[in-house]
Amino acid sequence: SVEFPSEIAPSPTGTCAFMAGVINEKNEVEFKQLTAYVTVQINKLAPETAKIVFTSDKNLSGVYSVTLPEGMESGAMASDGDNDVTLLFSEAAPTMINAFFALPIGNYAHITATAYNAAGKKLNEVVLGTLISASRGLLLDYQIELAPFVAEKPAEIAGTVNVAGIYWAVGNLE
């Protein structure tokens, strides 16, 4: 069994994709990757970001069974579900961080990253990719921005009056 973690921590160097090895007739170990691998450089994070949740139409975490040596060719196959991967911050989030996680083999409609503050309020959401075909040893490398949503007051329009968020021409209010 291979366990894909549901929680990860920020890391400057990353982690390794899952690999398995079989000893051949020459007493040499033949290693093969069992997963794809995702690296995400996340920019413009708000300091109040407490976590980033990666979601998809398939399980991104959980326990997968791989029978060796046959499974070395197919890898750890994706399964339907909604088990996500959460990147947790133990202190204020830096403005830029890298995230790394192994990805089961399969086809994904999308992978999404959503930033939340400590109270669980969504700060922003970005789709990393769509129609992803993850194969053994594939490196998926993304760069995204997760700056928080900012509501902006519309600029004043000359000759109008703002009533409940709607601009009316001055003559229409008489």
Side-chain angles (χ1 to χ4, degrees):
S1 293
V2 178
E3 184 171 353
F4 291 72
S6 60
E7 293 182 350
I8 57 176
S11 169
T13 58
T15 58
C16 296
F18 295 107
M19 297 181 80
V22 174
I23 300 174
N24 64 20
E25 302 82 35
K26 299 177 187 175
N27 285 331
E28 300 169 332
V29 180
E30 296 178 14
F31 285 101
K32 291 201 176 181
Q33 294 181 351
L34 299 178
T35 66
Y37 192 63
V38 177
T39 68
V40 186
Q41 181 181 18
I42 306 163
N43 298 299
K44 297 190 178 178
L45 273 174
E48 66 267 25
T49 302
K51 66 181 178 179
I52 297 171
V53 180
F54 297 95
T55 58
S56 184
D57 59 313
K58 303 242 188 276
N59 288 321
L60 299 178
S61 61
V63 177
Y64 289 80
S65 180
V66 179
T67 303
L68 298 178
E70 300 83 16
M72 290 179 65
E73 295 305 318
S74 60
M77 300 301 293
S79 61
D80 290 336
D82 59 0
N83 293 346
D84 53 31
V85 172
T86 302
L87 176 66
L88 296 171
F89 298 98
S90 58
E91 52 192 50
T95 57
M96 191 279 294
I97 194 76
N98 293 310
F100 308 91
F101 58 94
L103 184 67
I105 305 307
N107 295 315
Y108 296 81
H110 65 87
I111 297 177
T112 303
T114 308
Y116 295 93
N117 68 13
K121 178 183 174 191
K122 182 191 289 188
L123 301 175
N124 200 346
E125 181 174 272
V126 173
V127 175
L128 300 181
T130 58
L131 304 177
I132 300 162
S133 182
S135 58
R136 283 186 320 97
L138 177 69
L139 173 63
L140 298 164
D141 189 25
Y142 300 102
Q143 291 187 9
I144 61 171
E145 293 182 358
L146 276 174
F149 295 120
V150 177
E152 294 182 11
K153 180 181 175 185
E156 296 296 323
I157 300 173
T160 64
V161 175
N162 183 339
V163 178
I166 299 172
Y167 285 94
W168 298 86
V170 175
N172 290 339
L173 295 176
E174 297 176 355

mmCIF file of all heavy atoms in Angstrom, residues 24-74:
data_model
loop_
_atom_site.group_PDB
_atom_site.id
_atom_site.type_symbol
_atom_site.label_atom_id
_atom_site.label_comp_id
_atom_site.label_asym_id
_atom_site.label_seq_id
_atom_site.Cartn_x
_atom_site.Cartn_y
_atom_site.Cartn_z
ATOM 1 N N ASN A 24 16.505 -7.668 -9.924
ATOM 2 C CA ASN A 24 16.501 -8.504 -11.125
ATOM 3 C C ASN A 24 17.477 -9.681 -10.967
ATOM 4 O O ASN A 24 18.082 -9.863 -9.909
ATOM 5 C CB ASN A 24 16.802 -7.665 -12.374
ATOM 6 C CG ASN A 24 18.195 -7.061 -12.361
ATOM 7 O OD1 ASN A 24 19.100 -7.510 -11.652
ATOM 8 N ND2 ASN A 24 18.387 -6.029 -13.161
ATOM 9 N N GLU A 25 17.649 -10.437 -12.065
ATOM 10 C CA GLU A 25 18.506 -11.635 -12.040
ATOM 11 C C GLU A 25 19.969 -11.305 -11.777
ATOM 12 O O GLU A 25 20.748 -12.156 -11.342
ATOM 13 C CB GLU A 25 18.416 -12.386 -13.388
ATOM 14 C CG GLU A 25 17.035 -12.828 -13.794
ATOM 15 C CD GLU A 25 16.234 -11.701 -14.445
ATOM 16 O OE1 GLU A 25 16.790 -10.860 -15.171
ATOM 17 O OE2 GLU A 25 15.019 -11.658 -14.194
ATOM 18 N N LYS A 26 20.399 -10.083 -12.075
ATOM 19 C CA LYS A 26 21.791 -9.661 -11.866
ATOM 20 C C LYS A 26 21.995 -9.049 -10.474
ATOM 21 O O LYS A 26 23.005 -8.428 -10.211
ATOM 22 C CB LYS A 26 22.181 -8.622 -12.918
ATOM 23 C CG LYS A 26 22.106 -9.125 -14.334
ATOM 24 C CD LYS A 26 22.445 -7.996 -15.295
ATOM 25 C CE LYS A 26 22.214 -8.405 -16.724
ATOM 26 N NZ LYS A 26 22.422 -7.286 -17.648
ATOM 27 N N ASN A 27 20.982 -9.206 -9.587
ATOM 28 C CA ASN A 27 20.991 -8.618 -8.245
ATOM 29 C C ASN A 27 21.089 -7.088 -8.277
ATOM 30 O O ASN A 27 21.686 -6.482 -7.403
ATOM 31 C CB ASN A 27 22.115 -9.208 -7.380
ATOM 32 C CG ASN A 27 21.775 -10.609 -6.927
ATOM 33 O OD1 ASN A 27 20.594 -10.950 -6.768
ATOM 34 N ND2 ASN A 27 22.785 -11.422 -6.740
ATOM 35 N N GLU A 28 20.516 -6.502 -9.315
ATOM 36 C CA GLU A 28 20.430 -5.046 -9.414
ATOM 37 C C GLU A 28 18.995 -4.636 -9.092
ATOM 38 O O GLU A 28 18.047 -5.369 -9.410
ATOM 39 C CB GLU A 28 20.775 -4.571 -10.835
ATOM 40 C CG GLU A 28 22.175 -4.959 -11.270
ATOM 41 C CD GLU A 28 22.393 -4.727 -12.754
ATOM 42 O OE1 GLU A 28 21.423 -4.791 -13.539
ATOM 43 O OE2 GLU A 28 23.553 -4.487 -13.124
ATOM 44 N N VAL A 29 18.853 -3.488 -8.481
ATOM 45 C CA VAL A 29 17.516 -3.004 -8.164
ATOM 46 C C VAL A 29 17.055 -2.097 -9.298
ATOM 47 O O VAL A 29 17.733 -1.135 -9.656
ATOM 48 C CB VAL A 29 17.494 -2.233 -6.827
ATOM 49 C CG1 VAL A 29 16.084 -1.746 -6.525
ATOM 50 C CG2 VAL A 29 18.016 -3.105 -5.697
ATOM 51 N N GLU A 30 15.896 -2.417 -9.857
ATOM 52 C CA GLU A 30 15.285 -1.611 -10.909
ATOM 53 C C GLU A 30 14.157 -0.799 -10.284
ATOM 54 O O GLU A 30 13.147 -1.357 -9.869
ATOM 55 C CB GLU A 30 14.740 -2.499 -12.019
ATOM 56 C CG GLU A 30 15.799 -3.285 -12.759
ATOM 57 C CD GLU A 30 15.197 -4.204 -13.820
ATOM 58 O OE1 GLU A 30 14.010 -4.044 -14.159
ATOM 59 O OE2 GLU A 30 15.929 -5.080 -14.294
ATOM 60 N N PHE A 31 14.340 0.528 -10.216
ATOM 61 C CA PHE A 31 13.328 1.403 -9.635
ATOM 62 C C PHE A 31 12.448 2.003 -10.718
ATOM 63 O O PHE A 31 12.914 2.310 -11.816
ATOM 64 C CB PHE A 31 13.988 2.555 -8.866
ATOM 65 C CG PHE A 31 14.555 2.142 -7.545
ATOM 66 C CD1 PHE A 31 15.915 1.914 -7.407
ATOM 67 C CD2 PHE A 31 13.735 1.984 -6.442
ATOM 68 C CE1 PHE A 31 16.452 1.536 -6.193
ATOM 69 C CE2 PHE A 31 14.261 1.607 -5.222
ATOM 70 C CZ PHE A 31 15.619 1.391 -5.099
ATOM 71 N N LYS A 32 11.180 2.165 -10.398
ATOM 72 C CA LYS A 32 10.235 2.848 -11.285
ATOM 73 C C LYS A 32 9.341 3.736 -10.436
ATOM 74 O O LYS A 32 8.976 3.381 -9.313
ATOM 75 C CB LYS A 32 9.383 1.858 -12.066
ATOM 76 C CG LYS A 32 10.179 1.088 -13.095
ATOM 77 C CD LYS A 32 9.296 0.527 -14.148
ATOM 78 C CE LYS A 32 10.166 -0.145 -15.207
ATOM 79 N NZ LYS A 32 9.382 -0.698 -16.276
ATOM 80 N N GLN A 33 8.998 4.889 -10.994
ATOM 81 C CA GLN A 33 8.075 5.779 -10.305
ATOM 82 C C GLN A 33 6.658 5.218 -10.417
ATOM 83 O O GLN A 33 6.270 4.705 -11.467
ATOM 84 C CB GLN A 33 8.158 7.179 -10.886
ATOM 85 C CG GLN A 33 9.508 7.815 -10.626
ATOM 86 C CD GLN A 33 9.604 9.222 -11.165
ATOM 87 O OE1 GLN A 33 8.753 9.704 -11.880
ATOM 88 N NE2 GLN A 33 10.685 9.896 -10.805
ATOM 89 N N LEU A 34 5.904 5.340 -9.329
ATOM 90 C CA LEU A 34 4.534 4.830 -9.292
ATOM 91 C C LEU A 34 3.503 5.937 -9.474
ATOM 92 O O LEU A 34 2.304 5.656 -9.546
ATOM 93 C CB LEU A 34 4.277 4.115 -7.959
ATOM 94 C CG LEU A 34 5.151 2.905 -7.661
ATOM 95 C CD1 LEU A 34 4.818 2.343 -6.282
ATOM 96 C CD2 LEU A 34 4.992 1.844 -8.736
ATOM 97 N N THR A 35 3.959 7.191 -9.532
ATOM 98 C CA THR A 35 3.032 8.322 -9.567
ATOM 99 C C THR A 35 3.547 9.410 -10.504
ATOM 100 O O THR A 35 4.685 9.363 -10.966
ATOM 101 C CB THR A 35 2.888 8.958 -8.163
ATOM 102 O OG1 THR A 35 4.145 9.539 -7.796
ATOM 103 C CG2 THR A 35 2.467 7.958 -7.119
ATOM 104 N N ALA A 36 2.707 10.382 -10.726
ATOM 105 C CA ALA A 36 3.132 11.653 -11.317
ATOM 106 C C ALA A 36 3.498 12.551 -10.144
ATOM 107 O O ALA A 36 3.330 12.168 -8.969
ATOM 108 C CB ALA A 36 2.006 12.255 -12.147
ATOM 109 N N TYR A 37 3.973 13.735 -10.421
ATOM 110 C CA TYR A 37 4.439 14.623 -9.358
ATOM 111 C C TYR A 37 4.040 16.058 -9.693
ATOM 112 O O TYR A 37 4.208 16.498 -10.835
ATOM 113 C CB TYR A 37 5.958 14.503 -9.247
ATOM 114 C CG TYR A 37 6.564 15.135 -8.036
ATOM 115 C CD1 TYR A 37 6.270 14.686 -6.756
ATOM 116 C CD2 TYR A 37 7.464 16.186 -8.162
ATOM 117 C CE1 TYR A 37 6.849 15.257 -5.645
ATOM 118 C CE2 TYR A 37 8.049 16.762 -7.049
ATOM 119 C CZ TYR A 37 7.734 16.293 -5.791
ATOM 120 O OH TYR A 37 8.302 16.864 -4.685
ATOM 121 N N VAL A 38 3.498 16.759 -8.718
ATOM 122 C CA VAL A 38 3.037 18.139 -8.909
ATOM 123 C C VAL A 38 3.928 19.087 -8.121
ATOM 124 O O VAL A 38 4.181 18.869 -6.931
ATOM 125 C CB VAL A 38 1.571 18.309 -8.452
ATOM 126 C CG1 VAL A 38 1.122 19.754 -8.575
ATOM 127 C CG2 VAL A 38 0.656 17.391 -9.240
ATOM 128 N N THR A 39 4.406 20.135 -8.785
ATOM 129 C CA THR A 39 5.084 21.230 -8.105
ATOM 130 C C THR A 39 4.301 22.499 -8.425
ATOM 131 O O THR A 39 3.889 22.710 -9.573
ATOM 132 C CB THR A 39 6.552 21.412 -8.543
ATOM 133 O OG1 THR A 39 6.589 21.857 -9.895
ATOM 134 C CG2 THR A 39 7.330 20.129 -8.406
ATOM 135 N N VAL A 40 4.065 23.307 -7.397
ATOM 136 C CA VAL A 40 3.308 24.541 -7.572
ATOM 137 C C VAL A 40 4.058 25.672 -6.894
ATOM 138 O O VAL A 40 4.329 25.603 -5.692
ATOM 139 C CB VAL A 40 1.891 24.452 -6.955
ATOM 140 C CG1 VAL A 40 1.079 25.700 -7.287
ATOM 141 C CG2 VAL A 40 1.165 23.199 -7.403
ATOM 142 N N GLN A 41 4.408 26.695 -7.655
ATOM 143 C CA GLN A 41 4.945 27.918 -7.065
ATOM 144 C C GLN A 41 3.755 28.858 -6.902
ATOM 145 O O GLN A 41 3.094 29.215 -7.878
ATOM 146 C CB GLN A 41 6.006 28.563 -7.942
ATOM 147 C CG GLN A 41 6.579 29.823 -7.306
ATOM 148 C CD GLN A 41 7.624 30.497 -8.181
ATOM 149 O OE1 GLN A 41 7.728 30.261 -9.379
ATOM 150 N NE2 GLN A 41 8.408 31.348 -7.572
ATOM 151 N N ILE A 42 3.470 29.219 -5.653
ATOM 152 C CA ILE A 42 2.309 30.041 -5.341
ATOM 153 C C ILE A 42 2.807 31.431 -4.961
ATOM 154 O O ILE A 42 3.572 31.582 -4.010
ATOM 155 C CB ILE A 42 1.494 29.426 -4.192
ATOM 156 C CG1 ILE A 42 1.130 27.974 -4.543
ATOM 157 C CG2 ILE A 42 0.244 30.252 -3.914
ATOM 158 C CD1 ILE A 42 0.694 27.150 -3.369
ATOM 159 N N ASN A 43 2.377 32.432 -5.717
ATOM 160 C CA ASN A 43 2.808 33.814 -5.509
ATOM 161 C C ASN A 43 1.655 34.677 -4.998
ATOM 162 O O ASN A 43 0.497 34.324 -5.153
ATOM 163 C CB ASN A 43 3.326 34.400 -6.834
ATOM 164 C CG ASN A 43 4.528 33.637 -7.338
ATOM 165 O OD1 ASN A 43 5.552 33.567 -6.679
ATOM 166 N ND2 ASN A 43 4.396 33.034 -8.503
ATOM 167 N N LYS A 44 2.026 35.816 -4.419
ATOM 168 C CA LYS A 44 1.081 36.838 -3.949
ATOM 169 C C LYS A 44 0.105 36.310 -2.899
ATOM 170 O O LYS A 44 -1.063 36.644 -2.905
ATOM 171 C CB LYS A 44 0.336 37.468 -5.119
ATOM 172 C CG LYS A 44 1.262 38.206 -6.065
ATOM 173 C CD LYS A 44 0.499 39.020 -7.069
ATOM 174 C CE LYS A 44 1.478 39.765 -7.958
ATOM 175 N NZ LYS A 44 0.798 40.543 -8.982
ATOM 176 N N LEU A 45 0.608 35.477 -1.994
ATOM 177 C CA LEU A 45 -0.230 34.990 -0.899
ATOM 178 C C LEU A 45 -0.445 36.098 0.121
ATOM 179 O O LEU A 45 0.482 36.833 0.449
ATOM 180 C CB LEU A 45 0.450 33.823 -0.188
ATOM 181 C CG LEU A 45 0.224 32.444 -0.755
ATOM 182 C CD1 LEU A 45 1.088 31.439 -0.028
ATOM 183 C CD2 LEU A 45 -1.217 32.060 -0.672
ATOM 184 N N ALA A 46 -1.647 36.191 0.635
ATOM 185 C CA ALA A 46 -1.931 37.131 1.714
ATOM 186 C C ALA A 46 -1.329 36.578 3.002
ATOM 187 O O ALA A 46 -1.346 35.366 3.230
ATOM 188 C CB ALA A 46 -3.433 37.306 1.875
ATOM 189 N N PRO A 47 -0.794 37.446 3.871
ATOM 190 C CA PRO A 47 -0.206 36.960 5.137
ATOM 191 C C PRO A 47 -1.208 36.209 6.002
ATOM 192 O O PRO A 47 -0.823 35.353 6.790
ATOM 193 C CB PRO A 47 0.261 38.230 5.842
ATOM 194 C CG PRO A 47 0.285 39.293 4.802
ATOM 195 C CD PRO A 47 -0.648 38.880 3.717
ATOM 196 N N GLU A 48 -2.504 36.493 5.848
ATOM 197 C CA GLU A 48 -3.525 35.823 6.673
ATOM 198 C C GLU A 48 -3.896 34.433 6.140
ATOM 199 O O GLU A 48 -4.719 33.741 6.726
ATOM 200 C CB GLU A 48 -4.786 36.690 6.806
ATOM 201 C CG GLU A 48 -5.552 36.911 5.522
ATOM 202 C CD GLU A 48 -5.172 38.179 4.772
ATOM 203 O OE1 GLU A 48 -4.039 38.663 4.937
ATOM 204 O OE2 GLU A 48 -6.010 38.676 4.010
ATOM 205 N N THR A 49 -3.257 33.988 5.062
ATOM 206 C CA THR A 49 -3.531 32.652 4.530
ATOM 207 C C THR A 49 -3.090 31.604 5.554
ATOM 208 O O THR A 49 -1.945 31.585 5.978
ATOM 209 C CB THR A 49 -2.788 32.421 3.200
ATOM 210 O OG1 THR A 49 -3.182 33.425 2.263
ATOM 211 C CG2 THR A 49 -3.105 31.044 2.636
ATOM 212 N N ALA A 50 -4.034 30.746 5.958
ATOM 213 C CA ALA A 50 -3.741 29.683 6.922
ATOM 214 C C ALA A 50 -3.555 28.333 6.242
ATOM 215 O O ALA A 50 -2.858 27.466 6.757
ATOM 216 C CB ALA A 50 -4.859 29.590 7.951
ATOM 217 N N LYS A 51 -4.202 28.183 5.082
ATOM 218 C CA LYS A 51 -4.074 26.909 4.370
ATOM 219 C C LYS A 51 -4.457 27.107 2.911
ATOM 220 O O LYS A 51 -5.171 28.036 2.548
ATOM 221 C CB LYS A 51 -4.937 25.826 5.001
ATOM 222 C CG LYS A 51 -6.438 26.071 4.887
ATOM 223 C CD LYS A 51 -7.207 24.959 5.560
ATOM 224 C CE LYS A 51 -8.710 25.218 5.484
ATOM 225 N NZ LYS A 51 -9.463 24.130 6.127
ATOM 226 N N ILE A 52 -3.940 26.193 2.085
ATOM 227 C CA ILE A 52 -4.316 26.112 0.678
ATOM 228 C C ILE A 52 -4.781 24.683 0.449
ATOM 229 O O ILE A 52 -4.075 23.726 0.784
ATOM 230 C CB ILE A 52 -3.135 26.452 -0.242
ATOM 231 C CG1 ILE A 52 -2.702 27.897 0.003
ATOM 232 C CG2 ILE A 52 -3.512 26.234 -1.702
ATOM 233 C CD1 ILE A 52 -1.411 28.275 -0.684
ATOM 234 N N VAL A 53 -5.977 24.543 -0.090
ATOM 235 C CA VAL A 53 -6.556 23.222 -0.320
ATOM 236 C C VAL A 53 -6.554 22.937 -1.819
ATOM 237 O O VAL A 53 -7.083 23.719 -2.610
ATOM 238 C CB VAL A 53 -7.993 23.145 0.247
ATOM 239 C CG1 VAL A 53 -8.589 21.762 -0.004
ATOM 240 C CG2 VAL A 53 -8.001 23.469 1.738
ATOM 241 N N PHE A 54 -5.935 21.811 -2.194
ATOM 242 C CA PHE A 54 -5.912 21.353 -3.576
ATOM 243 C C PHE A 54 -7.023 20.316 -3.735
ATOM 244 O O PHE A 54 -7.079 19.346 -2.977
ATOM 245 C CB PHE A 54 -4.562 20.727 -3.931
ATOM 246 C CG PHE A 54 -3.417 21.695 -3.836
ATOM 247 C CD1 PHE A 54 -2.649 21.768 -2.688
ATOM 248 C CD2 PHE A 54 -3.127 22.551 -4.892
ATOM 249 C CE1 PHE A 54 -1.590 22.668 -2.593
ATOM 250 C CE2 PHE A 54 -2.080 23.453 -4.809
ATOM 251 C CZ PHE A 54 -1.309 23.516 -3.653
ATOM 252 N N THR A 55 -7.918 20.533 -4.696
ATOM 253 C CA THR A 55 -9.051 19.635 -4.923
ATOM 254 C C THR A 55 -9.088 19.201 -6.387
ATOM 255 O O THR A 55 -8.470 19.833 -7.245
ATOM 256 C CB THR A 55 -10.385 20.319 -4.563
ATOM 257 O OG1 THR A 55 -10.520 21.509 -5.347
ATOM 258 C CG2 THR A 55 -10.459 20.667 -3.089
ATOM 259 N N SER A 56 -9.843 18.140 -6.631
ATOM 260 C CA SER A 56 -9.994 17.624 -7.984
ATOM 261 C C SER A 56 -11.251 16.775 -8.046
ATOM 262 O O SER A 56 -11.938 16.581 -7.037
ATOM 263 C CB SER A 56 -8.772 16.791 -8.379
ATOM 264 O OG SER A 56 -8.892 16.377 -9.722
ATOM 265 N N ASP A 57 -11.533 16.230 -9.229
ATOM 266 C CA ASP A 57 -12.641 15.306 -9.392
ATOM 267 C C ASP A 57 -12.248 13.880 -9.000
ATOM 268 O O ASP A 57 -13.082 12.988 -8.982
ATOM 269 C CB ASP A 57 -13.138 15.325 -10.843
ATOM 270 C CG ASP A 57 -12.038 14.951 -11.828
ATOM 271 O OD1 ASP A 57 -10.926 15.495 -11.711
ATOM 272 O OD2 ASP A 57 -12.291 14.115 -12.713
ATOM 273 N N LYS A 58 -10.978 13.665 -8.675
ATOM 274 C CA LYS A 58 -10.476 12.369 -8.227
ATOM 275 C C LYS A 58 -9.801 12.556 -6.865
ATOM 276 O O LYS A 58 -9.484 13.673 -6.463
ATOM 277 C CB LYS A 58 -9.446 11.822 -9.215
ATOM 278 C CG LYS A 58 -9.945 11.689 -10.634
ATOM 279 C CD LYS A 58 -9.917 10.260 -11.071
ATOM 280 C CE LYS A 58 -10.215 10.085 -12.529
ATOM 281 N NZ LYS A 58 -11.598 10.052 -12.872
ATOM 282 N N ASN A 59 -9.566 11.465 -6.171
ATOM 283 C CA ASN A 59 -8.871 11.524 -4.888
ATOM 284 C C ASN A 59 -7.419 11.958 -5.097
ATOM 285 O O ASN A 59 -6.712 11.376 -5.914
ATOM 286 C CB ASN A 59 -8.893 10.162 -4.195
ATOM 287 C CG ASN A 59 -10.260 9.813 -3.665
ATOM 288 O OD1 ASN A 59 -10.975 10.660 -3.156
ATOM 289 N ND2 ASN A 59 -10.628 8.555 -3.785
ATOM 290 N N LEU A 60 -6.996 12.958 -4.347
ATOM 291 C CA LEU A 60 -5.601 13.391 -4.359
ATOM 292 C C LEU A 60 -4.839 12.822 -3.170
ATOM 293 O O LEU A 60 -3.617 12.902 -3.119
ATOM 294 C CB LEU A 60 -5.515 14.922 -4.340
ATOM 295 C CG LEU A 60 -6.151 15.647 -5.524
ATOM 296 C CD1 LEU A 60 -6.030 17.155 -5.339
ATOM 297 C CD2 LEU A 60 -5.528 15.205 -6.832
ATOM 298 N N SER A 61 -5.566 12.269 -2.197
ATOM 299 C CA SER A 61 -4.938 11.660 -1.028
ATOM 300 C C SER A 61 -5.677 10.369 -0.699
ATOM 301 O O SER A 61 -6.753 10.110 -1.218
ATOM 302 C CB SER A 61 -4.961 12.626 0.169
ATOM 303 O OG SER A 61 -6.296 12.948 0.527
ATOM 304 N N GLY A 62 -5.058 9.579 0.176
ATOM 305 C CA GLY A 62 -5.663 8.313 0.575
ATOM 306 C C GLY A 62 -4.692 7.163 0.388
ATOM 307 O O GLY A 62 -3.548 7.347 -0.016
ATOM 308 N N VAL A 63 -5.159 5.963 0.668
ATOM 309 C CA VAL A 63 -4.331 4.762 0.578
ATOM 310 C C VAL A 63 -4.626 4.057 -0.748
ATOM 311 O O VAL A 63 -5.788 3.829 -1.089
ATOM 312 C CB VAL A 63 -4.605 3.806 1.764
ATOM 313 C CG1 VAL A 63 -3.798 2.524 1.617
ATOM 314 C CG2 VAL A 63 -4.280 4.502 3.079
ATOM 315 N N TYR A 64 -3.562 3.745 -1.464
ATOM 316 C CA TYR A 64 -3.664 3.064 -2.751
ATOM 317 C C TYR A 64 -2.893 1.752 -2.661
ATOM 318 O O TYR A 64 -1.813 1.706 -2.090
ATOM 319 C CB TYR A 64 -3.069 3.919 -3.867
ATOM 320 C CG TYR A 64 -3.926 5.121 -4.195
ATOM 321 C CD1 TYR A 64 -3.877 6.265 -3.415
ATOM 322 C CD2 TYR A 64 -4.780 5.089 -5.284
ATOM 323 C CE1 TYR A 64 -4.667 7.355 -3.711
ATOM 324 C CE2 TYR A 64 -5.572 6.177 -5.593
ATOM 325 C CZ TYR A 64 -5.513 7.307 -4.804
ATOM 326 O OH TYR A 64 -6.298 8.387 -5.091
ATOM 327 N N SER A 65 -3.439 0.712 -3.264
ATOM 328 C CA SER A 65 -2.791 -0.588 -3.269
ATOM 329 C C SER A 65 -2.116 -0.797 -4.622
ATOM 330 O O SER A 65 -2.730 -0.588 -5.668
ATOM 331 C CB SER A 65 -3.828 -1.681 -3.021
ATOM 332 O OG SER A 65 -3.206 -2.938 -3.031
ATOM 333 N N VAL A 66 -0.852 -1.180 -4.575
ATOM 334 C CA VAL A 66 -0.089 -1.462 -5.791
ATOM 335 C C VAL A 66 0.530 -2.845 -5.622
ATOM 336 O O VAL A 66 1.300 -3.074 -4.691
ATOM 337 C CB VAL A 66 1.027 -0.409 -6.019
ATOM 338 C CG1 VAL A 66 1.820 -0.736 -7.265
ATOM 339 C CG2 VAL A 66 0.440 0.990 -6.086
ATOM 340 N N THR A 67 0.182 -3.775 -6.509
ATOM 341 C CA THR A 67 0.725 -5.135 -6.465
ATOM 342 C C THR A 67 2.027 -5.158 -7.255
ATOM 343 O O THR A 67 2.051 -4.768 -8.423
ATOM 344 C CB THR A 67 -0.282 -6.130 -7.069
ATOM 345 O OG1 THR A 67 -1.514 -6.027 -6.364
ATOM 346 C CG2 THR A 67 0.248 -7.551 -6.982
ATOM 347 N N LEU A 68 3.097 -5.598 -6.598
ATOM 348 C CA LEU A 68 4.404 -5.657 -7.263
ATOM 349 C C LEU A 68 4.705 -7.082 -7.694
ATOM 350 O O LEU A 68 4.291 -8.022 -7.027
ATOM 351 C CB LEU A 68 5.487 -5.151 -6.315
ATOM 352 C CG LEU A 68 5.341 -3.697 -5.872
ATOM 353 C CD1 LEU A 68 6.434 -3.334 -4.897
ATOM 354 C CD2 LEU A 68 5.345 -2.748 -7.054
ATOM 355 N N PRO A 69 5.369 -7.309 -8.779
ATOM 356 C CA PRO A 69 6.004 -6.319 -9.636
ATOM 357 C C PRO A 69 5.082 -5.763 -10.724
ATOM 358 O O PRO A 69 5.417 -4.806 -11.396
ATOM 359 C CB PRO A 69 7.174 -7.074 -10.271
ATOM 360 C CG PRO A 69 6.683 -8.482 -10.373
ATOM 361 C CD PRO A 69 5.793 -8.682 -9.162
ATOM 362 N N GLU A 70 3.865 -6.359 -10.923
ATOM 363 C CA GLU A 70 2.980 -5.928 -12.003
ATOM 364 C C GLU A 70 2.644 -4.430 -11.913
ATOM 365 O O GLU A 70 2.561 -3.737 -12.923
ATOM 366 C CB GLU A 70 1.663 -6.725 -11.993
ATOM 367 C CG GLU A 70 1.839 -8.215 -12.156
ATOM 368 C CD GLU A 70 2.162 -8.915 -10.852
ATOM 369 O OE1 GLU A 70 1.974 -8.342 -9.756
ATOM 370 O OE2 GLU A 70 2.647 -10.066 -10.924
ATOM 371 N N GLY A 71 2.455 -3.927 -10.712
ATOM 372 C CA GLY A 71 2.055 -2.543 -10.510
ATOM 373 C C GLY A 71 3.118 -1.525 -10.864
ATOM 374 O O GLY A 71 2.840 -0.330 -10.951
ATOM 375 N N MET A 72 4.334 -1.999 -11.080
ATOM 376 C CA MET A 72 5.404 -1.063 -11.451
ATOM 377 C C MET A 72 5.168 -0.479 -12.840
ATOM 378 O O MET A 72 5.644 0.597 -13.149
ATOM 379 C CB MET A 72 6.763 -1.739 -11.373
ATOM 380 C CG MET A 72 7.176 -2.027 -9.937
ATOM 381 S SD MET A 72 8.765 -2.841 -9.804
ATOM 382 C CE MET A 72 9.870 -1.605 -10.445
ATOM 383 N N GLU A 73 4.415 -1.178 -13.681
ATOM 384 C CA GLU A 73 4.119 -0.671 -15.021
ATOM 385 C C GLU A 73 2.908 0.262 -15.008
ATOM 386 O O GLU A 73 2.885 1.261 -15.708
ATOM 387 C CB GLU A 73 3.892 -1.821 -16.004
ATOM 388 C CG GLU A 73 5.134 -2.657 -16.234
ATOM 389 C CD GLU A 73 6.337 -1.829 -16.694
ATOM 390 O OE1 GLU A 73 6.166 -0.922 -17.541
ATOM 391 O OE2 GLU A 73 7.451 -2.087 -16.204
ATOM 392 N N SER A 74 1.895 -0.060 -14.205
ATOM 393 C CA SER A 74 0.675 0.754 -14.182
ATOM 394 C C SER A 74 0.754 1.881 -13.166
ATOM 395 O O SER A 74 0.165 2.938 -13.363
ATOM 396 C CB SER A 74 -0.540 -0.121 -13.889
ATOM 397 O OG SER A 74 -0.393 -0.763 -12.632
#
